[in-house]
Amino acid sequence: MAVSMLAGRGYEVVASSGKKTASGFVESLGASRIVDREQFSADDPRPLQSTEYAAAVDCVGGATLANVLKRINYGGAVAASGLTGGAAVPTTVMPFILRGVSLLGIDSVSCSMDFRREVWGRIATDLKPAGIDAIGHDITLGDLDSTLSAILRGEVSGRFVVAPTA
């Protein structure tokens, strides 16, 4: 979603994926380049790395978030929206102090209903992701077991909405 939204606003988007087969799909959403996730997930004891990115959206957390923070340009920001890679972020304060990097948390739990409506309104209009039909998939409860198995095998991409009735 972030790839499509940012590319649609005119930003050059570099995306990361662990699925070699996902490159075409991610490029179709607007990514100009795909980098292997191993580049960000490996432990790196250096407090800073060469700057490469103006900003980032990180939905992984953990070592990935730490490595992303180390590569952000002076005055850039990282929006953190997930923690599948872990809640601990093994980094130092150096990106924040020496480069003025900001870490922005995404709250989708406690924000007000008015704010939710405002955000969803923008997602439905000026931030509407191109290719959203290819990202979202409607399934039934009867499809759930096979879909979850396919997700665990890394065979599918996108988001799934399960209808509560068959």
Side-chain angles (χ1 to χ4, degrees):
M1 299 291 282
V3 169
S4 183
M5 288 176 176
L6 291 167
R9 301 291 287 181
Y11 292 98
E12 178 185 356
V13 179
V14 176
S16 173
S17 177
K19 294 181 185 176
K20 305 286 188 227
T21 59
S23 293
F25 173 68
V26 178
E27 287 170 344
S28 76
L29 297 176
S32 61
R33 185 167 53 105
I34 312 295
V35 295
D36 192 297
R37 74 173 165 203
E38 294 300 319
Q39 185 174 331
F40 297 100
S41 61
D43 287 333
D44 185 340
R46 297 176 294 172
L48 294 172
Q49 297 174 9
S50 297
T51 57
E52 294 183 60
Y53 308 107
V57 175
D58 174 71
C59 58
V60 179
T64 297
L65 176 55
N67 285 319
V68 166
L69 288 165
K70 295 174 187 182
R71 296 176 184 197
I72 299 297
N73 293 346
Y74 182 84
V78 176
S81 64
L83 45 82
T84 58
V89 182
T91 192
T92 68
V93 297
M94 291 180 84
F96 309 109
I97 294 173
L98 297 179
R99 293 187 179 154
V101 173
S102 297
L103 178 59
L104 311 170
I106 304 298
D107 170 28
S108 62
V109 177
S110 300
C111 58
S112 70
M113 189 54 72
D114 288 341
F115 184 69
R116 288 172 193 261
R117 285 188 184 103
E118 180 182 335
V119 170
W120 282 108
R122 292 211 48 210
I123 291 172
T125 56
D126 65 306
L127 292 177
K128 186 174 182 177
I132 195 163
D133 294 333
I135 298 169
H137 310 283
D138 294 328
I139 63 171
T140 65
L141 282 174
D143 300 325
L144 190 57
D145 285 341
S146 61
T147 302
L148 289 173
S149 294
I151 290 170
L152 291 173
R153 290 189 305 270
E155 297 174 350
V156 295
S157 296
R159 299 294 180 253
F160 294 85
V161 176
V162 181
T165 59

